[in-house]
Structures are given as structure tokens and as C-alpha cells.
Amino acid sequence: MMNKVAVNRIIPFSSVDGPGNRTAIFLQGCNFNCLYCHNPETINHCNHCGRCVETCPVEALKLIDGKVRWDDTLCTGCHQCLKTCRQNSSPRVKLMTVDEIIEEINKTKAFISGITVSGGESTLQIPFLTQLFKGVKEMGLTTFVDTNGSIPLWEEESFLSVVDQFMVDLKSTHQQEHLELTGLGCSTVIENIKQLANLGKLYEVRTVIVPNLLDNKRNVENTSKLIASLNPEIRYKIIKYRALGVREGLVEASSPTDEMLLELKALAEEEGCRDVVLV
Ligand code: SF4
Ligand code: SF4
């Protein structure tokens, strides 16, 4: 089992990564390559090419023995290194043990209801997360997982036993469209949604709306039908595509209008979803 994982960042207090106030932990590395990725610097692990080192204006990056080292006490968060990197990676990643992450969570424990792990794709690190969540549950906190649903989670019994709830992205209900958008198909994602709902562990399903790229109406219609058939109370979050922070290829894609989003919300409700949220 891995003793350390690459942590892209830890947000001590988040109100947008699940219910209540939560500490959100973003792991590095993803098996999708979404055209509209909003965190492209979390996709790949750093290959220590050193390209970003020269561009840091405050010398917070150094190449030592062939590895990039990041000094967070010097870093100003200017993002210049992320703009320089051609690998969809970041030099600002920490390798952390379960105990080190627990120590961070301990600092916020009194003010949060739980933690959420996100990414990248956090479920690529299931053995590590299982250990982490055991510790977090002993602290009396809830455990949520934000996932692209690409790993057959229903087969991971010990992991499931320590996860309270999942939030699953269903980016498209059409195999080919999902493949073209992410690099992988959607059949495992849909099976995860079914299985997790049947286990009572599906908190939320999310779909990003991107005009001129996806068949948004079909995706919302199919996803709503699926949720309604499983448990109409499961939250369906319909997310407005925003160009801010996305990778270069899709910067020019337009955001959906408010009118379009309201129509999609009405469609989801007509199909039987009772908790539809626009973001
Ligand atoms: S974000 Fe930090 S490490 Fe990256 S270039 Fe800016 S100061 Fe340097
Ligand atoms: S973050 Fe990117 S540019 Fe910097 S060393 Fe790693 S791979 Fe190279």
C-alpha cells in the first residue's frame, strides 16, 4: 500500500464540497482528461522537468537532486508555475502520510462537520483513503468523496464501510460523447450511481452544461430519469460551464444562459427529481 499520497491542496473550510462546513482535500492525479477541466494542474504527476523553476519570481521552487522542491513559506500563489507547466501538473504538491493529513484536519476539527476528498480523482488512492477515513471517523467526523465515478466502487467493501456519502459527476449519458469529453466511457459511472444509490451512499449527482459541445438536454433528461428511478430525493446539481480557469482549448466555449439553465432544471423536475440545484 502507498504510505504517502500527492496532495495538491487542502482547503481548511469549504462550504461548496458537500453539506456543512468541511475540510476539502484535493489529491493530485486523474484518469480523466476532460476538455473543460477546471483544475488541469491536478491531472498529471510532476515529471520534475524543472521548466517552472526558472519562472518563479520569488525563488520558491528549486531543482534539488533532479526533483522540484517547493517552499510554501516563500510562495505568493501567483500561479506563474502553473501557466508554465506543459504537463497539466503543479510543483506545489506535498507528499503526505495519513498521520500528516489527520494532523491538518485536527486544526479545524472543532469547526467542521466532516471532510471531503476530491481531486484530481481521489478514488485512484482507495487503500490510502480507507486508512485516512478510518482515522477521520474516529475523530467523529463525516467522510465524503467527490468522484468521477470511473472506478467500480461497489467492489470496494472496506472502502465503502468508511465512506458516508459520494458525490458523482455524470458528465454525459452517451458513451461516445463521454469518451470524447473525458477519454473514458460512462458505463462504470452509471453503474456506480445505481449501486451507491442502492447502498444509500449517493449524496449528489452533477452535470456540467456546455452549449455547443454536449447534448445537454439529452444528458439532463437521462440523468434525471436515472436519479428519479433510484431515489428522487438525491440531489441533482446542474452546473453552469464557466470559462474561468479552464484549459486553453475551451476558453472560447460559451456559458449557458440563465434561461437555458432554468429550462434544464424544469426538465429535471418534470422527470421526477425533487432536489435540483443550479450552480
Ligand atoms: S505560485 Fe508560488 S511557486 Fe508558483 S511561481 Fe508563483 S510564487 Fe512561485
Ligand atoms: S510542475 Fe510541470 S513544469 Fe514544473 S517541474 Fe513539474 S512537470 Fe515540469
Side-chain angles (χ1 to χ4, degrees), residues 2 4-11 24-29 41-42 45 70 90-98 100-102 104 117-119 125 128-129 132:
M2 281 185 74
K4 292 186 176 187
V5 290
V7 177
N8 181 281
R9 64 189 184 280
I10 296 178
I11 298 178
I25 299 153
F26 294 80
L27 303 189
Q28 186 74 15
E41 76 280 4
T42 67
H45 290 275
W70 172 55
S90 166
R92 301 185 303 164
V93 166
K94 285 186 178 174
L95 289 176
M96 296 181 78
T97 63
V98 165
E100 286 166 341
I101 297 177
I102 295 271
E104 286 301 307
V117 292
S118 185
Q125 313 289 351
F128 185 94
L129 290 184
L132 174 66

Side-chain angles (χ1 to χ4, degrees), residues 26-232:
F26 294 80
L27 303 189
Q28 186 74 15
C30 188
N31 56 344
F32 278 7
N33 195 11
C34 301
L35 295 175
Y36 60 52
C37 182
H38 278 73
N39 300 310
E41 76 280 4
T42 67
I43 295 175
N44 294 317
H45 290 275
C46 172
N47 64 11
H48 301 281
C49 71
R51 206 167 171 267
C52 58
V53 172
E54 296 301 316
T55 66
C56 177
V58 294
E59 298 186 359
L61 300 172
K62 289 195 170 49
L63 201 56
I64 301 171
D65 296 334
K67 302 267 185 199
V68 171
R69 306 286 179 213
W70 172 55
D71 186 341
D72 59 351
T73 63
L74 296 177
C75 179
T76 60
C78 71
H79 290 190
Q80 186 54 48
C81 50
L82 306 186
K83 289 179 200 150
T84 306
C85 183
R86 293 177 179 168
Q87 311 294 326
N88 287 323
S89 188
S90 166
R92 301 185 303 164
V93 166
K94 285 186 178 174
L95 289 176
M96 296 181 78
T97 63
V98 165
D99 287 347
E100 286 166 341
I101 297 177
I102 295 271
E103 200 178 312
E104 286 301 307
I105 298 166
N106 248 322
K107 294 176 187 167
T108 55
K109 184 188 162 191
F111 311 102
I112 58 172
S113 56
I115 70 154
T116 298
V117 292
S118 185
E121 176 48 40
S122 61
T123 67
L124 297 178
Q125 313 289 351
I126 281 178
F128 185 94
L129 290 184
T130 305
Q131 290 303 313
L132 174 66
F133 285 5
K134 278 181 188 164
V136 171
K137 292 197 82 62
E138 282 168 13
M139 296 163 79
L141 298 171
T142 59
T143 52
F144 275 56
V145 175
D146 173 359
T147 177
N148 64 23
S150 61
I151 305 293
L153 298 168
W154 64 89
E155 295 174 357
E156 301 289 341
E157 270 184 46
S158 40
F159 180 51
L160 290 175
S161 72
V162 288
V163 182
D164 288 309
Q165 295 286 310
F166 288 86
M167 299 177 285
V168 182
D169 291 336
L170 182 49
K171 297 163 196 288
S172 169
T173 58
H174 188 272
Q175 188 76 350
Q176 187 59 27
E177 186 180 73
H178 197 281
L179 184 67
E180 287 170 13
L181 176 66
T182 71
L184 287 169
C186 58
S187 50
T188 304
V189 185
I190 291 172
E191 189 59 25
N192 266 319
I193 287 172
K194 290 178 184 170
Q195 300 262 1
L196 294 173
N198 287 335
L199 290 168
K201 286 184 182 280
L202 185 59
Y203 176 75
E204 179 178 285
V205 178
R206 292 95 68 97
T207 303
V208 178
I209 306 303
V210 194
N212 306 323
L213 180 73
L214 305 172
D215 188 339
N216 300 290
K217 191 173 173 194
R218 181 216 41 221
N219 291 338
V220 169
E221 187 173 345
N222 288 344
T223 306
S224 308
K225 281 184 177 149
L226 176 63
I227 293 171
S229 72
L230 295 165
N231 176 355

Side-chain angles (χ1 to χ4, degrees), residues 14-18 20 167 204 206 237:
S14 168
S15 57
V16 296
D17 293 292
M167 299 177 285
E204 179 178 285
R206 292 95 68 97
K237 195 178 269 183

